[in-house]
Structure formats: structure tokens, C-alpha cells
Amino acid sequence: MAYVTGPTRAQDDGQGGLHLSLGVQQSFSAGDNLALGIPGSATNPEEGTTTLSTTNFALQLESATRIQQFSFLLGGGLRYGSLPSGRSTETGFVDPQASIAYTREGYSSRFTFSLDYNESDISQPRPLWDFSDDDEVIDPPSDLSGLRGSGQRQAYNSYLALTTGIGAPIGFRLTANASGVRYENETVATLDEFDRAQIGADTFFHFTPTTAAVLGLRFRRFDDNTATPARLSRGVDVGLDHEFANQSDLSVRVGYTNADTTNVNQNGSAKGATGSVTYNKVMPNGTAFGNMSFRRTENGEISTILGGRGYQLANGRFRFSLGASSVYGNSAKPIGGLGWQYQMPVSRIAVNISRRVIADGDDEDRFTSTVAATYVQQLTAESNLFANLSYYLVDRTTNSTKVERTNLELGYQYELTEDWNLDTGFSYRIRDEETVGQAESSAIFVSLSRRFDLF
């Protein structure tokens, strides 16, 4: 629904602004095997054709002043159609979503809060290019590798940050994050619900305006909602932050972490010393960075070294990073990424490649690779052709199988009026999991959307 409402930033002219918009989209689709069933499987068989009519809406309110920003979004959809036998796809009112975000800048403080909740059908996951963060890095949901079959996925995420004493001799920062996933009417029994919570508290002692000693406390909890006890991680660290005159900064941390572990092969390696060194520098045409870290999770130790460079180009941006990471004391493997955006007179291309270590829905740290590419070719002043490709790979471990997901979307966009847009195209998906099998799904779609600026 993000592209239905579009970006709607209230004007901040010093006096503030309030903006309310309503996005509406009517779409029709027909596809085979949307739940990615596997031919010959007894537990997740291949499905027939699904035809759907879906009306989505999203109401978005935004306000901005010189010192604060507020946004609120409420949305959902109405879905009806013809479903294959055995499908648990919901019809009627579906995919409710709600989010709220608030930021306030005080004289020597900063407060940020956000809360998001959404429901979606497991058989219709969002493609990878929808999960790009502010640094253009793809950050997919941690349970994406296990999503197959049909049913409803309910997810929540909250974040809070409070900083006081900015510019004062002593400052304090508190951060808290909680997220989780629930499933209903799922047709695949291997989907595991979970909750995550993290809290961090830092105290800054400023010797000079550019140098500060830091004392930090960390707490993390993971619960997979089974009979297994929740896993806890507690840590403390001390360090130094310094800003140099050449527009660069250095951050150093050393600490100790004690994490509960259910992995009998770790032999206590889930507790012990931790540390990190991070360097950033502003360059004439971009940025450069380097990072070394040694951390511990409930499953064991993870050591990483990574460096990179970003360039601001005349018609786009380019960045790259290269390094290595060792997980649980095993041999180091390469990590890194590449991002490229380029705007041509009548076309645009964007490519994002990333390989890193992330925790999956079972809280296991795994090497994950993502590729997302987009190409748009302008035909006329009102129409475009577009192609989107994404690839997702989670490496095999001693506890989990390798999973690959591929999405391809080809389509045509037409701007009927200044407010109305028409999109039509074809999508193709593949999911391949070791010991489980390969599933394929294809669909065609057409949609009509508009954003109403109410005030």
C-alpha cells in the first residue's frame, strides 16, 4: 500500500503543516499455485488457479513543524474471488495495517517513537525491493525463508529512542525495540511464531565538544513461543567517541556479554568479551567507512570486518563494501554489498546486492544474500515499461536447509490523469528448498489507483 498513497510530506515552513491523503487501489489478478505448493507433496501440494478482486485503501495523516513530526496511517482491503480447494486465503476485509510515528527535537534532547502492525496473506508476500532501508540495503523479514503455503501472517514492530543532555557534559540515551510474528490458519506446520525485544542504555561523558567516554548496558530477549525457555542476552560495554576536524569520526567499544544458549556445542562461547571499532569519513563526493566487530549471541560468537565507499554521481549514486565474517568460530566467509542507481534521459536503473549475517525466524545467525534490480523505460510522457527482479538466498547450516526465492515482474504503467494510474503486468516466482523441493507460481494483474489529497 506504500505506493498507493505515495510520499506525502507536510511542508515545513517554520509554521508547520498538516496533510491528509487517501490512497485507493482496485486490482484484479489471476495466478497458478500462489501458495508455492510442491508437485507431488502430501503436506503442501501444488494448487490450481486463483482469481481475485482486491480493493485496497490507506488513510495517511502527516504533520510537521520546526521541532516535531507526526504521521499516522490506517489501511486495509476488501478481497473476493475464486480459490482452489483447500486454500485458507481470507476474503472479505483483509490485510489491516496501522502505523504511527512521532519525532520531537528539544533544546538538548531528542525523542523518537514508532509503532507498526500489519497482516498479510502468506501466499502473497511483498517482493524484496519493498524492503530497502535509508541506506538502500535490502532488509527482508527474518522469517522470509520459511514462508510458504497459505494462511495469515501478523507482524508488529515498535521502536523508541530518547536522548537527553545533547551538548551537555553528561548525556543519556535509551533505545528499545520489540517485534514479533504470529500465524493463523497456516497450511505449513514449520512456521514458528516468535517475539524479540532489545533494550540499550548509554551514558555519555563529554570531555570536549568532540570527545566523549561512553558506558553502555544491553539486554536482549528471544521467545519462540514453545516450551523451550526464552533466550536472554545481557551485556555491558565502555568506549570512546571522537569527531575529527577532517569530517571523520571514530567509535571504539569493549565489553562483556553473557547470553543463555540452548546450543550444546558452544561450550560456553555465548559468554565472554566483545568489542568493535568503527570509522566514518565524509569525502568530497561521498563517504567512506570501516568496521571491525566481535559480538556474541545466544548461539555463539560472530566476528566481522567490513569496509566500503559511497559515491554521489551527477546522475545517480554508487556504493560498495567488502569484508568477511566468521559465525560460531567457523571459517570466515566473504560479505559485502553493491548499490547503484543511475538516471538516464528516458530510463532509470537501480541495482542492490548484499551478503551479510542475519538472524532468521528461529533466531539462528545465517549468511544471507539478496539481489534486487529495477529498470524503468519511459515510452511517452505518460507511460513506462518496468522490470523488477529479486533473488534471496539463505545458506545451509547444520540445523537448517538452504532456501532460494526468486521474483520477476514485468509490466506497463500509464498515467491516465494527474491523479489516476494504471498498472498491468506479469509476475513469476520460484521457491527452492533443499530436501523439500522446488515450487513455481505465475500470475497476471491489472490495477487502477489514485491518491486523494483531502487537505
Side-chain angles (χ1 to χ4, degrees), residues 27 29 94 149-150 211 274 303 320 341 375 388:
S27 62
S29 64
V94 297
S150 59
T211 305
T274 61
S303 55
F320 71 91
Q341 291 187 9
Y375 179 77
N388 296 317

Side-chain angles (χ1 to χ4, degrees), residues 33 37-47 436-439:
N33 196 28
I38 299 172
S41 172
T43 57
N44 185 34
E46 189 175 23
E47 294 184 345
V436 175
Q438 178 175 299

Side-chain angles (χ1 to χ4, degrees), residues 4 43 61 91 94 102 110 121 146 163 198 217-218 225 236 242 248 261 303 306 319 326 338 352 372 383 420 436:
V4 178
T43 57
L61 174 68
T91 57
V94 297
Y102 178 73
R110 181 181 303 110
D121 195 282
T163 303
Q198 300 180 75
L217 301 174
R218 313 280 175 245
N225 297 292
V236 60
H242 181 72
S248 63
T261 178
S303 55
L306 185 68
R319 63 166 179 81
S326 171
L338 182 148
N352 189 301
S383 62
W420 288 95
V436 175

Side-chain angles (χ1 to χ4, degrees), residues 51-56 77-81 83 87 89-95 119-121 123-124 152:
T51 57
L52 297 173
S53 170
T54 307
T55 304
N56 291 318
L78 297 173
R79 179 188 298 143
Y80 299 96
L83 307 176
R87 276 291 299 274
T89 299
E90 280 192 341
T91 57
F93 179 70
V94 297
D95 299 344
E119 295 185 18
S120 59
D121 195 282
S123 66
Q124 301 182 54
Q152 286 69 55

Side-chain angles (χ1 to χ4, degrees), residues 220 231-233 257-261 266 269-271 274 294-302 327-328 357 359 363-365:
R220 181 179 182 272
R231 289 186 277 181
L232 305 176
S233 173
T257 294
N258 185 349
D260 299 336
T261 178
Q266 292 307 315
S269 63
K271 61 178 66 176
T274 61
F294 183 78
R295 61 189 179 92
R296 297 179 186 273
T297 71
E298 296 86 346
N299 299 306
E301 58 194 43
I302 301 175
V327 177
Y328 309 158
V357 177
D363 206 37
E364 182 181 9
D365 301 290

Side-chain angles (χ1 to χ4, degrees), residues 91-347:
T91 57
F93 179 70
V94 297
D95 299 344
Q97 61 173 329
S99 66
I100 185 170
Y102 178 73
T103 300
R104 181 178 178 86
E105 298 280 348
Y107 174 72
S108 62
S109 63
R110 181 181 303 110
F111 176 75
T112 300
F113 171 77
S114 64
L115 177 63
D116 176 80
Y117 174 83
N118 66 84
E119 295 185 18
S120 59
D121 195 282
I122 297 172
S123 66
Q124 301 182 54
R126 293 162 57 190
L128 278 184
W129 50 82
D130 275 5
F131 298 101
S132 179
D133 62 16
D134 293 338
D135 296 322
E136 302 169 15
V137 175
I138 301 297
D139 190 18
S142 59
D143 62 333
L144 178 61
S145 61
L147 289 181
R148 59 192 177 97
S150 59
Q152 286 69 55
R153 178 182 184 272
Q154 304 166 348
Y156 72 90
N157 185 74
S158 62
Y159 176 77
L160 181 147
L162 173 64
T163 303
T164 62
I166 299 176
I170 299 179
F172 179 78
R173 180 175 62 206
L174 172 68
T175 60
N177 174 261
S179 61
V181 171
R182 298 288 185 274
Y183 305 101
E184 284 189 357
N185 302 318
E186 65 271 26
T187 58
V188 175
T190 55
L191 296 177
D192 296 321
E193 301 178 344
F194 63 88
D195 294 282
R196 283 191 176 98
Q198 300 180 75
I199 299 175
D202 295 278
T203 303
F204 298 86
F205 303 91
H206 291 93
F207 304 127
T208 69
T210 59
T211 305
V214 186
L215 172 63
L217 301 174
R218 313 280 175 245
F219 174 82
R220 181 179 182 272
R221 184 179 190 272
F222 176 84
D223 187 357
D224 61 3
N225 297 292
T226 65
T228 304
R231 289 186 277 181
L232 305 176
S233 173
R234 301 158 293 273
V236 60
D237 56 65
V238 295
L240 185 73
D241 291 344
H242 181 72
E243 297 179 4
F244 297 94
N246 63 348
Q247 291 187 298
S248 63
D249 61 81
L250 176 69
S251 179
V252 180
R253 297 286 189 276
V254 292
Y256 183 88
T257 294
N258 185 349
D260 299 336
T261 178
T262 57
N263 190 338
V264 296
N265 298 318
Q266 292 307 315
N267 298 319
S269 63
K271 61 178 66 176
T274 61
S276 66
V277 178
T278 302
Y279 178 77
N280 297 285
K281 180 173 175 56
V282 178
M283 309 292 284
N285 59 345
T287 58
F289 80 93
N291 172 264
M292 292 188 300
S293 67
F294 183 78
R295 61 189 179 92
R296 297 179 186 273
T297 71
E298 296 86 346
N299 299 306
E301 58 194 43
I302 301 175
S303 55
T304 300
I305 181 170
L306 185 68
R309 178 77 160 87
Y311 295 89
Q312 188 66 44
L313 309 176
N315 295 314
R317 288 179 288 180
F318 176 77
R319 63 166 179 81
F320 71 91
S321 61
L322 184 64
S325 186
S326 171
V327 177
Y328 309 158
N330 296 313
S331 300
K333 295 183 179 181
I335 60 171
L338 182 148
W340 179 50
Q341 291 187 9
Y342 189 68
Q343 179 69 54
M344 292 164 279
V346 293
S347 61

